[in-house]
Amino acid sequence: MNTPSDLRYSAEHEWVRLEGDIATVGITDFAQSELGDIVFVELPSEGDPVAEMGVFGAVEAVKTVSDLYSPMGGTVTEVNDDLEDNPEAVNQDPYGDGWMIRLKVDDAGAYTSLMTAADYRSFVGA
Amino acid sequence: MTVLRKTALYDRHLALGARLVPFSGWEMPVQYEGILAEHHAVRKAAGLFDVSHMGRVEISGPDAVAFANHITVNDVERLKPYRSQYTLACRDDGGVIDDFLVYRMPDRLLVVPNAGNREKDLDWFRRHAVAYDVEIRDLSQESMLIALQGPQSEQILDPLAEAELDSLRFQGFVVTRVGGIDARVFRTGYTGEDGFEIWYPAEHAAALWDRLLESGASRGLKPCGLGARDTLRLEAGLALYGHEIDDSINPIEAGLGWTVKLKKPDFIGRDALLGAKREGVERKLVGLKLLERGIPRQGYEILHGRVPVGRVVSGAISPTLGLGIGTGFVPVELAEPGTGLAIGIRGRHIAAEVVKLPFYAGSRK
């Protein structure tokens, strides 16, 4: 299981990378592996508001559908449209090409209250 | 606490990196490499499934056929030796107790119930056997059932089987030796593809499993789990108990009226099913194809205009067609292929169309 140490993590298995006041969000390697083949990702539109730990979309694997929760609150500035045709990027590269949304965050300070890579690894028991 | 049962192939599943899940009291592989890769392997080449969780019940004795004809809707009299028949056991009110294949041996019958219904079926059979000279035996523990499915199946199994497989027709079976061990080979399956189910002694099953995977690898054979089994059967329009059929659904509603042989003078559920056929039913099972992106799931609402008219009973992405497909019950007037409906998915109405089942016709002969 891959958990890059430069990211922060949520208990709902999302990761966040904060650059200035822009947060990039995706799901973790652990989550994609648990879900199996991802076949469809439903994402919000640019400009949509997202609450902290609010649902911003859904990820559909062959057998299951899971809501996506945003670890930080803010406004969507960019969505990864490539996932429309290549949802498998979430399986193949969850921290890279499999990113989902970018947010202009309301409170950048909330970042440090999220789990570190070490916290997340112990959270999932790895 | 429920202790999950393990098949004789459990160690093989672990060694192959399978993800194991509880299923009808068994710990079974849901996937190895991934559902999509396994699904495509079965459609294009072949897949190997451990289906030993399925029941195996033998009915013998002088009244075996008469008894089977009493408890099932299809006509066992018309079943020739070494052939099988898809049939249902129904309640008095026509609700489906289980669906299964009945195999006819020269002197006995063999029934293969769903794993989750095995004990219920056995109780039902025994309760209704009082007036018949039959013996009902549960052989589920003594043997393993391995399914080899896909267009390459015959080429993969042929070198190991003593019998000539090319003369074995679909729904037929043969008592033969496979890998030098006594086996029964059924030409059947649950994927829409050509294929076989091999009834094999439990103590030799792991050796056969390894040998098939080894000899089939060059033809694209992959081990496959219950996940792919479900998407394959849904594409092939095959009913799954607890979804398209259960004890509150009758076979006419489920599109299985063809199995019900009302010419038989007596069988459990006949009066109710005669009524349902004569008077018609209010709801019917339909295939649903999504016209927009989205995946129907069990329990989602089916809408006509903005009015809820039914619920999805099975849903998935179709790996072969690349779109969302499902089945569900709708009022008969909305059951015609081409009817425009919608599925409620996370608060949105996604356009869908009624289509004829199956969604995909495979290599099944």
Side-chain angles (χ1 to χ4, degrees):
Chain A
M1 187 184 75
N2 181 13
T3 42
S5 53
D6 59 335
L7 306 178
R8 292 286 177 128
Y9 299 86
S10 78
E12 297 288 347
H13 308 286
E14 283 85 13
W15 57 263
V16 188
R17 175 184 290 115
L18 189 66
E19 290 154 309
D21 60 354
I22 299 296
T24 304
V25 177
I27 66 167
T28 65
D29 187 34
F30 174 81
Q32 70 76 21
S33 161
E34 285 294 301
L35 287 167
D37 292 327
I38 288 162
V39 290
F40 180 50
V41 184
E42 192 177 284
L43 295 175
S45 304
E46 279 173 34
D48 284 356
V50 175
E52 184 181 323
M53 286 325 284
V55 174
F56 70 87
V59 59
E60 301 244 21
V62 180
K63 292 294 282 181
T64 52
V65 54
S66 303
D67 283 332
L68 294 164
Y69 296 88
S70 180
M72 299 183 77
T75 305
V76 178
T77 59
E78 207 179 335
V79 296
N80 186 355
D81 292 329
D82 290 347
L83 297 181
E84 199 168 303
D85 293 322
N86 291 308
E88 63 272 20
V90 179
N91 291 121
Q92 289 157 1
D93 190 10
Y95 302 110
D97 291 344
W99 70 276
M100 292 177 174
I101 55 168
R102 290 209 169 93
L103 296 169
K104 186 175 190 310
V105 298
D106 298 332
D107 173 18
Y111 183 72
T112 50
S113 62
L114 294 165
M115 279 188 265
T116 64
D119 294 338
Y120 181 69
R121 272 194 292 270
S122 64
F123 173 70
V124 298
Chain B
M1 193 186 110
T2 320
V3 176
L4 294 173
R5 296 164 72 184
K6 297 176 169 72
T7 81
L9 293 172
Y10 181 78
D11 292 342
R12 291 302 189 276
H13 302 323
L14 287 183
L16 287 164
R19 176 172 306 169
L20 296 155
V21 295
F23 182 82
S24 296
W26 294 80
E27 196 172 354
M28 298 299 291
V30 66
Q31 65 167 63
Y32 302 82
E33 180 185 338
I35 295 174
L36 294 178
E38 293 164 27
H39 182 107
H40 292 311
V42 173
R43 289 275 178 255
K44 291 177 191 146
L48 197 63
F49 302 76
D50 179 2
V51 291
S52 305
H53 60 300
M54 304 280 291
R56 270 136 288 159
V57 174
E58 186 186 88
I59 303 170
S60 58
D63 293 341
V65 171
F67 169 69
N69 249 351
H70 177 61
I71 55 163
T72 64
V73 299
N74 210 330
D75 191 354
V76 186
E77 290 280 5
R78 286 167 53 182
L79 180 61
K80 297 194 175 73
Y82 299 105
R83 300 287 301 162
S84 67
Q85 180 180 74
Y86 178 73
T87 192
L88 311 164
C90 288
R91 312 192 312 183
D92 273 326
D93 66 3
V96 179
I97 289 171
D98 201 7
D99 69 328
F100 44 71
L101 287 169
V102 175
Y103 293 91
R104 188 161 188 172
M105 306 279 289
D107 62 342
R108 71 195 69 189
L109 299 168
L110 185 66
V111 173
V112 182
N114 283 297
N117 288 337
R118 185 179 57 91
E119 285 176 28
K120 180 180 77 169
D121 291 357
L122 279 166
D123 285 350
W124 182 261
F125 293 176
R126 288 184 173 132
R127 182 138 49 101
H128 289 91
V130 181
Y132 294 87
D133 187 1
V134 290
E135 192 189 346
I136 296 164
R137 287 172 65 209
D138 181 8
L139 304 179
S140 310
Q141 321 279 351
E142 303 163 18
S143 57
M144 290 288 289
L145 203 56
I146 294 173
L148 174 62
Q149 297 282 296
Q152 290 289 317
S153 297
E154 185 180 314
Q155 281 71 26
I156 293 166
L157 185 57
D158 197 55
L160 296 180
E162 261 180 35
E164 287 291 329
L165 296 179
D166 64 350
S167 57
L168 182 61
R169 286 184 299 145
F170 203 78
Q171 293 217 317
F173 69 101
V174 62
V175 179
T176 183
R177 289 165 79 84
V178 174
I181 305 290
D182 289 333
R184 294 178 201 178
V185 176
F186 309 96
R187 192 158 209 156
T188 187
Y190 194 49
T191 60
E193 300 296 335
D194 186 22
F196 303 90
E197 289 180 4
I198 306 157
W199 172 323
Y200 214 66
E203 66 269 32
H204 297 291
L208 177 65
W209 175 266
D210 291 347
R211 228 174 133 180
L212 284 168
L213 281 181
E214 206 179 290
S215 66
S218 62
R219 293 185 181 272
L221 177 69
K222 289 180 190 242
C224 297
L226 295 177
R229 191 167 159 83
D230 191 42
T231 51
L232 289 158
R233 72 93 196 162
L234 182 59
E235 283 186 348
L238 300 168
L240 175 60
Y241 197 87
H243 296 256
E244 286 76 17
I245 43 176
D246 66 30
D247 57 14
S248 71
I249 298 166
N250 76 47
I252 320 297
E253 294 170 317
L256 296 171
W258 60 273
T259 64
V260 181
K261 300 296 151 61
L262 292 168
K263 282 185 183 159
K264 279 201 309 185
D266 155 64
F267 61 91
I268 301 170
R270 185 175 184 277
D271 291 347
L273 295 174
L274 184 64
K277 265 200 177 175
R278 275 197 188 142
E279 289 149 37
V281 290
E282 287 177 10
R283 57 174 187 170
K284 285 212 98 160
L285 182 77
V286 293
L288 296 162
K289 181 179 88 174
L290 265 57
L291 304 176
E292 303 171 78
R293 265 171 198 270
I295 303 172
R297 306 276 181 189
Q298 185 177 16
Y300 285 8
E301 242 171 19
I302 304 170
L303 303 112
H304 181 242
R306 305 195 70 79
V307 182
V309 291
R311 284 196 186 271
V312 172
V313 293
S314 289
I317 183 139
S318 161
T320 308
L321 305 176
L323 47 84
I325 58 168
T327 55
F329 288 90
V330 297
V332 279
E333 61 272 21
L334 299 175
E336 277 303 306
T339 305
L341 297 171
I343 312 286
I345 303 180
R346 293 184 288 282
R348 289 166 53 203
H349 294 177
I350 305 295
E353 183 182 86
V354 175
V355 295
K356 249 186 98 154
L357 294 170
F359 296 100
Y360 178 79
S363 60
R364 181 172 170 165
K365 289 174 181 161

